[in-house]
Amino acid sequence: MELVKGLGYVALTVPEIDRSLDFYRRVAHLKVSERGSRKAFLTGGASHHWLRLEETGEPSLARLGFEVTGRAALDEIANRLDTRGIPWKAANDLAGDRVTEAIRFTDPDGFEIELFTDMVTLPVPVDTFLKMDRVLHSVWLAEDPSASGGFYRDVLGFKESDWIERQMVFMRAGNKYHHTIGIGRDSARAGLLDHFCILVDDVDDVMRARNVALRSGAKLRQDAVRHAASGSTSTYIMDPMNGICVEFCTNHKQIEDEGYRARILPASPSTFDLWQQLPEYFVEPGEPGQPDGPADGDWNPLHDG
């Protein structure tokens, strides 16, 4: 029985809502679906929101929202939480939160999680500069990815897709995309959101997002990369107010094989970015003017060491 369909939304608290709105509208290309004095909802499709912003004076991840497959799935997860002694509460404020038949609880990494069955749907999908499909995944940092991943496997029904050694786990939900969540080991920054990802139609949209970001003065944490685990092509744009990244990706694979077994990938540069792989005959040039460096004007002379 599939329990969770996929990621529904990310909720952030922000220092100044107008500054954050400016970034997410101009650089992340989302449209405002509803706005209050200190709260705003943004989307890139027909769902009421992919991103919720609330001004509190401090930047943080307020909540992650996941859509479940139905009422039976919600009841099953509530029973599993009860069995483990994890408190939860009903959250059915459709007027304020724009979701219904929902429960909230705190996961092992201290994040508030909301599971909902339905979200308000816009009468007409918003028209965006990029062709966006969905808010695809979120990645955060934890003390122990094995323990955190175990909770999402045993309680929410997620499946392991891949590991990077035992430092990071990628897990998929019912929509079968390679990962709906990623959990990386980082004791110094445990409990922090690293990034969330928006799936776009093709590599042209990824590069348009990159171009607009750079010309707007935004910073890229990573330029165009190709991930070995998911196969996706991505760019990562820094949110300067919250210290997280917005990833735009395309060609993120789905795992249809029910017998698929998670791989353990090496923690190497080419795992993060296949384009970082170098041929065995590659020679790194030294600085011009140094004994092992190229002469001025030479770009990369081969030498025998």
Side-chain angles (χ1 to χ4, degrees):
M1 176 184 179
E2 297 286 2
L3 299 176
V4 176
K5 286 184 181 180
L7 182 62
Y9 70 87
V10 175
L12 302 175
T13 65
V14 298
E16 299 176 46
I17 195 164
D18 288 333
R19 289 187 65 202
S20 290
L21 277 173
D22 183 59
F23 172 81
Y24 282 103
R25 292 169 66 186
R26 289 195 306 109
V27 180
H29 308 285
L30 298 176
K31 295 290 185 72
V32 174
S33 57
E34 194 169 339
R35 169 82 195 265
S37 60
R38 293 181 177 272
K39 183 170 67 175
F41 298 91
L42 300 98
T43 186
S47 297
H48 180 268
H49 59 283
W50 294 355
L51 179 66
R52 171 179 172 152
L53 303 176
E54 186 166 359
E55 183 179 303
T56 64
E58 296 293 333
S60 72
L61 172 63
R63 185 164 56 251
L64 291 173
F66 296 93
E67 183 181 3
V68 297
T69 56
R71 183 71 220 188
L74 199 65
D75 291 341
E76 172 62 24
I77 293 170
N79 289 335
R80 294 183 185 187
L81 292 170
D82 287 339
T83 298
R84 289 162 176 78
I86 299 171
W88 58 271
K89 61 183 179 182
N92 296 310
D93 182 9
L94 182 63
D97 296 323
R98 316 311 271 155
V99 297
T100 188
E101 290 198 48
I103 65 172
R104 293 179 186 173
F105 58 89
T106 301
D107 81 352
D109 297 314
F111 296 128
E112 184 175 71
I113 303 299
E114 179 168 74
L115 307 176
F116 63 91
T117 59
D118 289 296
M119 176 183 285
V120 169
T121 300
L122 303 181
V124 179
V126 296
D127 184 20
T128 57
F129 175 70
L130 306 179
K131 297 182 182 69
M132 302 187 200
D133 183 77
R134 69 187 66 210
V135 57
L136 181 65
H137 67 245
S138 59
V139 172
W140 65 86
L141 306 168
E143 292 274 359
D144 185 354
S146 294
S148 301
F151 171 83
Y152 279 86
R153 178 190 64 236
D154 298 339
V155 179
L156 274 66
F158 282 71
K159 298 175 182 178
E160 294 178 4
S161 293
D162 284 314
W163 285 84
I164 298 180
E165 297 189 8
R166 290 301 181 191
Q167 301 304 306
M168 186 161 193
V169 62
F170 299 105
M171 306 187 76
R172 66 190 183 277
N175 61 25
K176 302 186 185 303
Y177 283 101
H178 180 271
H179 56 282
T180 293
I181 62 172
I183 308 171
R185 187 188 306 277
D186 190 330
S187 299
R189 298 194 297 149
L192 296 179
L193 180 68
D194 182 79
H195 71 270
F196 68 91
C197 177
I198 295 172
L199 180 66
V200 296
D201 273 11
D202 55 37
V203 72
D204 289 337
D205 285 313
V206 171
M207 298 309 287
R208 288 187 188 103
R210 172 191 180 276
N211 177 57
V212 171
L214 290 174
R215 296 190 64 174
S216 298
K219 296 184 183 302
L220 304 183
R221 190 178 72 183
Q222 284 90 27
D223 207 334
V225 297
R226 176 103 189 282
H227 294 309
S230 66
S232 62
T233 300
S234 305
T235 192
Y236 291 75
I237 303 167
M238 288 294 302
D239 168 354
M241 281 68 73
N242 277 53
I244 64 171
C245 283
V246 183
E247 176 189 4
F248 288 94
C249 86
T250 192
N251 297 326
H252 189 103
K253 73 180 178 185
Q254 291 176 289
I255 297 175
E256 304 284 354
D257 181 4
E258 290 299 322
Y260 178 88
R261 185 176 179 181
R263 301 170 294 174
I264 302 176
L265 300 169
S268 64
S270 60
T271 294
F272 179 76
D273 179 10
L274 287 170
W275 295 331
Q276 292 292 321
Q277 187 174 9
L278 298 171
E280 60 183 13
Y281 47 80
F282 177 79
V283 176
E284 189 80 47
E287 292 294 324
Q290 298 299 313
D292 61 345
D296 291 340
D298 290 343
W299 65 278
N300 186 8
L302 295 176
H303 58 80
D304 60 9

